[in-house]
Amino acid sequence: MSVHTVLPTPRRVYIGPSTVPLNPPEPLPAAVRGWVAEVANLTRPDAVHWCDGSMAERDQLYAGLATSGTFAGANRRRAHSHPLSQDAHGGASPGSRIYSCTEDPADAGPAELWAEPATMRSTLARLFDGCMRGRTMYVVPFLVPSPLDDSSELGIELTDSGYVVVSLAAMARMGRYAMDLICAGEYWAPSVHSVGYPLVDGAGSRRPDVPWPCNEEKWIAQFPDSDDIWSYGTGFGATALVG
């Protein structure tokens, strides 16, 4: 595998085409397309799917999760109505691994660990290099109302987990509506998540998927200066909105 030292962010100039067919919906801001292309180049999924939030899309995801064993039930109306195939030990929030990556350690919150941004980006770039091989990367635009005031959080989550997609759909307005706001020029926050369980290794050898894919090494890193969030190794949908 190649060694990446820069994590893609829409806050910088996009360089280079995607090695994975994107087939994005039109119209699409150049910053969105470029960022998705760069993350795809880093993680190297087999395909990219742009979520539209439709019931047909949701039903297809539910069916796939039931077939894979992630969902033990078959109720296709709500994500939360599906009992998991096993407990969420593999995807539990990695409490002690949640980092605020700011230049000044004093800017990190009292409940957060601090990490130097460049060092953390180098660590994550290594982990995300090829981490989506054999999987689909979902592009998930979302709008989450704030429970405290009238504001909302607009963003795009890139993930290789169908479970994270349906979790976002259950707690946010996900899909075309959110993307229309982004296309209209609204500010949006980028986040990237991977279960850290590629189905194809660097030599091209394939391994079977498992009902609850994840990685023993787990990280959640927030970069307040560039407003991006990266999450690696977890399979649990509750981490969707924090990467």
Side-chain angles (χ1 to χ4, degrees):
M1 289 188 180
S2 59
V3 178
H4 293 261
T5 58
V6 178
L7 289 183
T9 168
R11 314 304 178 214
R12 71 181 182 87
V13 177
Y14 161 63
I15 301 174
S18 173
T19 57
V20 180
L22 297 182
N23 302 316
E26 297 294 343
L28 195 67
V32 174
R33 183 182 185 121
W35 174 62
V36 172
E38 288 202 280
V39 174
N41 285 344
L42 172 64
T43 59
R44 294 192 287 285
D46 277 5
V48 176
H49 175 77
W50 300 76
C51 294
D52 59 18
S54 66
M55 288 303 301
E57 176 183 75
R58 203 170 304 179
D59 283 349
Q60 185 175 18
L61 286 166
Y62 285 0
L65 290 167
T67 299
S68 69
T70 302
F71 285 165
N75 185 335
R76 299 159 74 95
R77 295 184 60 84
R78 288 173 56 93
H80 298 311
S81 67
H82 289 271
L84 298 177
S85 61
Q86 57 185 32
D87 64 24
H89 72 278
S93 179
S96 62
R97 290 280 188 173
I98 301 177
Y99 288 87
S100 180
C101 305
T102 57
E103 295 296 339
D104 187 347
D107 292 334
E112 299 169 327
L113 296 175
W114 176 81
E116 195 277 323
T119 301
M120 178 60 75
R121 286 191 181 277
S122 179
T123 296
L124 293 173
R126 171 181 59 81
L127 293 171
F128 276 87
D129 189 3
C131 69
M132 296 187 186
R133 288 181 182 272
R135 295 192 178 277
T136 295
M137 184 175 79
Y138 298 96
V139 183
V140 193
F142 64 86
L143 180 69
V144 182
S146 170
L148 302 178
D149 52 43
D150 293 333
S151 65
S152 298
E153 178 182 358
L154 180 65
I156 298 177
E157 174 97 2
L158 303 183
T159 179
D160 57 5
S161 168
Y163 185 76
V164 167
V165 178
V166 299
S167 296
L168 269 171
M171 66 180 72
R173 190 159 186 180
M174 184 270 281
R176 189 66 248 176
Y177 178 82
M179 184 62 83
D180 285 345
L181 294 177
I182 293 170
C183 290
E186 295 288 338
Y187 183 85
W188 56 281
S191 59
V192 184
H193 163 265
S194 174
V195 296
Y197 192 90
L199 299 179
V200 178
D201 64 21
S205 299
R206 183 172 289 272
R207 63 175 170 177
D209 206 352
V210 295
W212 196 258
C214 61
N215 195 292
E216 291 184 359
E217 186 169 358
K218 305 180 192 301
W219 298 84
I220 293 180
Q222 306 173 9
F223 295 89
D225 292 343
S226 51
D227 209 21
D228 55 324
I229 302 173
W230 292 73
S231 174
Y232 177 86
T234 66
F236 191 46
T239 63
L241 295 183
V242 290

